[in-house]
Amino acid sequence: MKTGISLEEAQTLLLDLVEPAKECLVPLTRAVGRVLSQDIWSDINLPPFDKSPLDGYALQANDTIEVSSSHPVILDVIEEVRAGYTSLKQVTSGTAIKVLTGAPIPNGADVVIKFEDVNRKGNKLELFYPLKSGSNIICAGEDVGQGEIVAKKGTLLNPPLVGLLAAVGVDLVPLFSKLKIGIISTGDELIDPSDDLRSGKIYNSNFYSLSAYCSKLGAEAVSMGIVPDEKDAIVERISKALEDTDLVITTGGVSVGDYDIVPTALDHIGAETIFWKIDMKPGSPAIAAKYKNKLVIGLSGNPAAAFITFDLIVGPIIKRMMGFFQELPPRITATLADDFNKSSGQRRFLRGRLDNINGINYAKLTGKQSNGVLKSMVDCNILIDVPAGSGPLIVGQEVLAVVIDNY
Amino acid sequence: MKTGISLEEAQTLLLDLVEPAKECLVPLTRAVGRVLSQDIWSDINLPPFDKSPLDGYALQANDTIEVSSSHPVILDVIEEVRAGYTSLKQVTSGTAIKVLTGAPIPNGADVVIKFEDVNRKGNKLELFYPLKSGSNIICAGEDVGQGEIVAKKGTLLNPPLVGLLAAVGVDLVPLFSKLKIGIISTGDELIDPSDDLRSGKIYNSNFYSLSAYCSKLGAEAVSMGIVPDEKDAIVERISKALEDTDLVITTGGVSVGDYDIVPTALDHIGAETIFWKIDMKPGSPAIAAKYKNKLVIGLSGNPAAAFITFDLIVGPIIKRMMGFFQELPPRITATLADDFNKSSGQRRFLRGRLDNINGINYAKLTGKQSNGVLKSMVDCNILIDVPAGSGPLIVGQEVLAVVIDNY
């Protein structure tokens, strides 16, 4: 077991231990926000055929070589083709076929001229200037060629990519299975928000914030309830969660006090502790253990500490298990917009908000920074990374920050 | 009816016409990503009582005034309190109560000293230095005070806010109702991706990309199917969608060609056209009409044009109807990282990607910019706003862009 390790070492240790979930085929209408388990190649050209981007006439550019407004050419309109249909006839010299927006280019034609730029009288068409072969034709495969890769394994499906898969005819998508994440809230002090608050008790918030986070990531949070500070009860609940879910998160019971018994319970189960305690504030008492091929991550019971360690450690694990190829949150530099008057003996993450003003990144603190305070998490979109041994921070100094996505 | 109006005028006209949906009460576990329909005030202090942030001893600072390592004070430990319980006894001069992390501060005590910083022998406690009243106490209401506002009407619920609502005991949340958005795909050329591609046909992608977008916004997309280019069929389908859903989106059939018949169908229904055609590319043929108190927005059938007008016009309407107080996408300035060799007679939106490198915003083009091309939407997170009458754009010039969120 390692102890007092850096955040980066904790992330690496855990990412190396987990694998993407099993594959499954999912209807395209339910695929957004999930991750491709295979590369997707296109079986077709997109668009599948040369087509007209506008309402006009398809003809041969050769027929217009010497044409001018004083010497127009006159062509016979032999057919009309709408989007969704194909022409029965072929364009030859001296003829044209009317094409509507999206219609396939008839055989023999190599240019389209706009409706508004010709003179039509009965079946005769008058043209007044030379045309360049290929003009106003959307070529087959312009968007995606047959056999071309559309998206790689590990890609998160966003709305335009969902559309692109539809466009190349993929209606069932190979995805990594949806994760089930068991969340256990430990602590004699916890009661559910639907109950009445009694003396000495607090409402359980960690289950709600972390399960909302899981659902934002596209995973399913499974409530494993509130468990009292009793070893046997915690052992039983973690064991059940290990059976029912893919990843187990506990909150509370991980410090070194007399009743901090999640580590004891994990030992009792026979789980192998990967690390206990990370060199950062808040969230230092986090523990990670492995039982068979599943992970249990024990987070601090303090709401902000639990949320921040979820952001920095659990989020990346979930993304790796979802099959997403970008697990770690991006890092940026920014100019501090507030003073922070405390020294930081330990490496510390401050809750802040990134604002880009005239191209400059400013990092503003979002409020009180205590371990228990949740309010300053609400508008937080960066965690400012303050190195161990830093003195007070002052407005205008450059800081490093981790970008988190609370929405 | 207005025609050829600016994007901004189109946005304003439509935002002024719609109202937030009805209110409903939703369990907190299903509230993330939705919008508060009322201000939320806290009925309690958070935390509800003064508590200890660590394992230690609660006592009176007065007992430690003249204490030093050579003249320690000795106190009687009279009780132990864990998180979730309250002390039965009171701290008086000469006594201390052992408190575990999260335990309420016993009456009479005004300071907590860390477990590691004292000498304990039996029930006796030895202290070696003076303590400052108030140290190591988390005060009741430190996070949120009783009667304080927690979140305002119109706020989107992110995971930490869900946690904060739980922490103040809100288990049923007043939200704006989930929107139902009817999506009609018009065009004789369309077939569903689950069908075989036939000559002259293309796969319907707009329904899939736009419904994924709706679900990303927290709205429910209702498929109203593919409708052929026949006025009566379109009239019937729009009428049905107006009955069944809160907002109706059509794609295709809005240009000026012989078979662009959505405007004709809207006229036939008796809908009042708000505008037809916006001065921008792609997406210029968009139409908006009102029937009774519902809107129908007709978008271009070209996939990229449909998506971009959805981003710029439909997204803000959905956000207003969801009750969200920030409807319009933010705008930024950036430095162009690619050449764009075409002149833009009309105002034009180019698909790009914003990258912040060393604090500088760079706008990179994501690929082909034709109306029909979807691939360049996939990595797009900005739409570069090119004014009408612009010549070719060159690397390094400053551009304005609208930030869109494809994930």
Side-chain angles (χ1 to χ4, degrees):
Chain A
M1 180 192 83
K2 301 204 171 202
T3 187
I5 64 175
S6 71
L7 170 64
E8 287 71 17
E9 189 177 354
Q11 289 170 332
T12 305
L13 281 171
L14 297 182
L15 285 175
D16 284 351
L17 283 174
V18 294
E19 287 183 354
K22 285 185 192 147
E23 293 184 58
C24 56
L25 276 179
V26 176
L28 189 55
T29 46
R30 297 205 303 268
V32 70
R34 296 180 62 180
V35 177
L36 287 176
S37 63
Q38 292 178 24
D39 294 345
I40 305 283
W41 306 80
S42 180
D43 289 338
I44 61 165
N45 276 319
L46 181 65
F49 43 80
D50 293 351
K51 64 179 187 177
S52 177
L54 43 82
D55 294 343
Y57 295 89
L59 50 109
Q60 296 189 341
N62 262 339
D63 281 350
T64 67
I65 291 175
E66 310 237 307
V67 169
S68 68
S69 53
S70 51
H71 293 90
V73 67
I74 295 178
L75 304 176
D76 286 323
V77 180
I78 56 171
E79 201 190 0
E80 174 180 317
V81 190
R82 297 155 51 179
Y85 302 91
T86 48
S87 47
L88 303 171
K89 297 185 178 159
Q90 179 144 352
V91 171
T92 51
S93 180
T95 67
I97 290 180
K98 183 174 177 186
V99 285
L100 289 145
T101 306
I105 303 297
N107 285 332
D110 66 348
V111 68
V112 172
I113 184 166
K114 265 191 202 167
F115 201 68
E116 304 93 291
D117 295 348
V118 298
N119 223 340
R120 169 102 184 242
K121 285 177 195 159
N123 280 338
K124 299 295 182 189
L125 194 68
E126 238 179 341
L127 282 88
F128 305 95
Y129 55 86
L131 301 176
K132 202 178 135 200
S133 176
S135 294
N136 290 327
I137 291 178
I138 299 172
C139 293
E142 183 199 55
D143 196 350
V144 178
Q146 188 171 11
E148 191 183 321
I149 195 159
V150 177
K152 288 193 175 163
K153 176 179 170 173
T155 303
L156 187 67
L157 283 168
N158 66 358
L161 184 52
V162 167
L164 190 58
L165 293 185
V168 299
V170 176
D171 62 321
L172 285 173
V173 197
L175 299 178
F176 290 109
S177 296
K178 203 158 185 164
L179 292 183
K180 278 188 176 181
I181 299 173
I183 300 179
I184 301 170
S185 312
T186 76
D188 285 353
E189 73 276 26
L190 298 179
I191 59 169
D192 191 76
S194 59
D195 290 336
D196 288 333
L197 196 59
R198 298 186 302 279
S199 175
K201 308 289 181 186
I202 60 170
Y203 288 122
N204 177 20
S205 65
N206 286 329
F207 166 69
Y208 292 91
S209 56
L210 301 187
S211 69
Y213 202 137
C214 291
S215 101
K216 197 202 74 172
L217 288 174
E220 182 193 347
V222 179
S223 173
M224 304 301 298
I226 294 172
V227 192
D229 288 318
E230 292 161 15
K231 192 195 76 183
D232 292 347
I234 295 176
V235 165
E236 177 272 329
R237 206 63 64 94
I238 292 178
S239 304
K240 171 118 180 67
L242 280 166
E243 269 175 37
D244 294 355
T245 64
D246 304 303
L247 173 68
V248 181
I249 309 298
T250 68
T251 57
V254 286
S255 298
V256 283
D258 302 7
Y259 296 92
D260 289 323
I261 48 182
V262 166
T264 314
L266 286 169
D267 251 4
H268 184 93
I269 288 168
E272 177 200 351
T273 304
I274 314 297
F275 64 77
W276 185 15
K277 287 174 205 154
I278 303 176
D279 186 18
M280 62 180 259
K281 185 183 175 178
S284 61
I287 188 168
K290 189 180 178 180
Y291 182 73
K292 293 180 180 167
N293 59 346
K294 290 186 182 171
L295 281 183
V296 183
I297 317 280
L299 306 177
S300 162
N302 271 318
F307 200 87
I308 287 172
T309 38
F310 195 93
D311 251 327
L312 295 175
I313 295 170
V314 184
I317 298 170
I318 292 176
K319 286 181 180 168
R320 167 75 54 100
M321 293 174 76
M322 284 173 67
F324 192 33
F325 55 54
Q326 293 179 342
E327 296 102 357
L328 293 175
R331 299 177 68 86
I332 51 133
T333 54
T335 303
L336 196 64
D338 290 298
D339 287 330
F340 179 68
N341 291 322
K342 288 188 180 168
S343 296
S344 303
Q346 201 174 10
R347 180 181 183 182
R348 180 168 190 161
F349 286 97
L350 297 176
R351 289 150 245 173
R353 182 150 195 94
L354 182 71
D355 276 317
N356 189 286
I357 302 169
N358 298 327
I360 300 169
N361 282 334
Y362 289 99
K364 201 167 168 48
L365 298 178
T366 48
K368 289 179 196 160
Q369 299 288 333
S370 323
N371 283 352
V373 166
L374 253 178
K375 203 167 55 180
S376 56
M377 283 304 314
V378 174
D379 289 326
C380 169
N381 62 6
I382 49 170
L383 295 170
I384 300 162
D385 190 351
V386 183
S390 300
L393 308 180
I394 50 171
V395 169
Q397 82 174 78
E398 190 170 86
V399 290
L400 263 175
V402 177
V403 179
I404 60 172
D405 178 14
N406 269 341
Y407 286 93
Chain B
M1 181 192 82
K2 301 203 171 200
T3 187
I5 63 176
S6 71
L7 170 64
E8 288 70 18
E9 189 178 355
Q11 289 170 331
T12 306
L13 280 171
L14 296 182
L15 285 174
D16 284 351
L17 282 174
V18 294
E19 288 183 355
K22 284 184 193 150
E23 293 185 60
C24 55
L25 276 179
V26 175
L28 189 54
T29 46
R30 296 207 302 269
V32 70
R34 296 181 59 180
V35 177
L36 287 175
S37 63
Q38 291 178 23
D39 294 345
I40 305 283
W41 306 80
S42 179
D43 288 339
I44 61 165
N45 276 319
L46 180 66
F49 43 80
D50 293 351
K51 66 178 185 177
S52 176
L54 44 82
D55 294 342
Y57 295 89
L59 49 108
Q60 295 189 342
N62 262 339
D63 281 351
T64 68
I65 290 173
E66 310 236 307
V67 168
S68 69
S69 54
S70 51
H71 293 88
V73 67
I74 295 179
L75 304 177
D76 288 324
V77 180
I78 56 172
E79 201 189 2
E80 172 180 316
V81 191
R82 296 157 50 181
Y85 303 91
T86 48
S87 47
L88 304 169
K89 296 182 179 161
Q90 178 144 353
V91 170
T92 51
S93 180
T95 68
I97 289 180
K98 183 175 176 185
V99 285
L100 289 146
T101 305
I105 304 297
N107 286 331
D110 65 347
V111 68
V112 171
I113 184 166
K114 264 191 200 165
F115 200 68
E116 303 93 292
D117 295 348
V118 299
N119 221 339
R120 170 101 184 245
K121 287 177 192 158
N123 280 337
K124 299 296 182 189
L125 193 68
E126 239 179 341
L127 282 88
F128 306 95
Y129 54 87
L131 301 175
K132 202 178 134 198
S133 176
S135 294
N136 289 327
I137 291 178
I138 299 172
C139 294
E142 184 198 54
D143 195 351
V144 178
Q146 188 170 12
E148 192 183 317
I149 196 159
V150 176
K152 287 193 176 163
K153 177 179 169 174
T155 303
L156 187 67
L157 283 168
N158 66 358
L161 184 52
V162 166
L164 191 58
L165 292 186
V168 300
V170 175
D171 63 321
L172 285 173
V173 197
L175 299 177
F176 290 109
S177 297
K178 203 157 183 166
L179 290 184
K180 279 189 176 180
I181 299 173
I183 300 179
I184 301 170
S185 311
T186 77
D188 285 353
E189 72 276 29
L190 299 180
I191 60 168
D192 192 75
S194 60
D195 289 338
D196 288 333
L197 197 60
R198 296 187 302 281
S199 174
K201 307 290 179 185
I202 59 171
Y203 288 122
N204 178 19
S205 65
N206 287 328
F207 166 70
Y208 292 91
S209 57
L210 302 187
S211 69
Y213 202 137
C214 290
S215 100
K216 197 202 74 173
L217 288 173
E220 181 193 346
V222 180
S223 172
M224 305 301 298
I226 294 172
V227 193
D229 288 318
E230 292 160 16
K231 191 196 76 182
D232 292 347
I234 296 176
V235 164
E236 177 273 327
R237 207 64 64 94
I238 293 178
S239 304
K240 171 117 181 65
L242 281 165
E243 269 175 37
D244 293 356
T245 63
D246 303 305
L247 173 67
V248 181
I249 308 299
T250 68
T251 57
V254 287
S255 298
V256 283
D258 302 7
Y259 296 91
D260 290 322
I261 48 183
V262 166
T264 314
L266 287 169
D267 250 4
H268 184 93
I269 288 167
E272 177 201 351
T273 305
I274 313 298
F275 63 77
W276 185 16
K277 288 175 206 152
I278 302 176
D279 186 17
M280 63 181 259
K281 184 183 175 178
S284 62
I287 187 168
K290 189 180 179 181
Y291 182 73
K292 292 181 180 166
N293 59 347
K294 290 185 182 169
L295 281 184
V296 182
I297 317 280
L299 305 178
S300 162
N302 271 318
F307 201 87
I308 288 172
T309 38
F310 196 94
D311 251 327
L312 295 174
I313 295 171
V314 184
I317 298 170
I318 292 176
K319 287 181 180 169
R320 168 74 55 97
M321 291 175 77
M322 285 172 67
F324 192 34
F325 54 56
Q326 291 178 342
E327 296 103 356
L328 293 175
R331 298 178 70 85
I332 51 132
T333 55
T335 302
L336 197 63
D338 290 300
D339 287 331
F340 180 67
N341 291 322
K342 288 190 180 168
S343 297
S344 303
Q346 201 173 11
R347 179 181 184 182
R348 179 166 191 163
F349 287 97
L350 298 176
R351 289 151 245 173
R353 180 148 196 95
L354 183 70
D355 277 318
N356 190 287
I357 302 169
N358 298 326
I360 298 170
N361 282 334
Y362 289 98
K364 201 167 169 48
L365 297 179
T366 48
K368 288 179 198 160
Q369 299 289 333
S370 324
N371 283 353
V373 166
L374 254 179
K375 203 167 54 180
S376 55
M377 283 304 314
V378 173
D379 289 326
C380 168
N381 62 5
I382 50 170
L383 295 170
I384 300 163
D385 190 351
V386 183
S390 299
L393 308 180
I394 48 171
V395 169
Q397 83 173 78
E398 188 171 88
V399 290
L400 263 175
V402 176
V403 179
I404 61 171
D405 178 14
N406 269 342
Y407 287 93

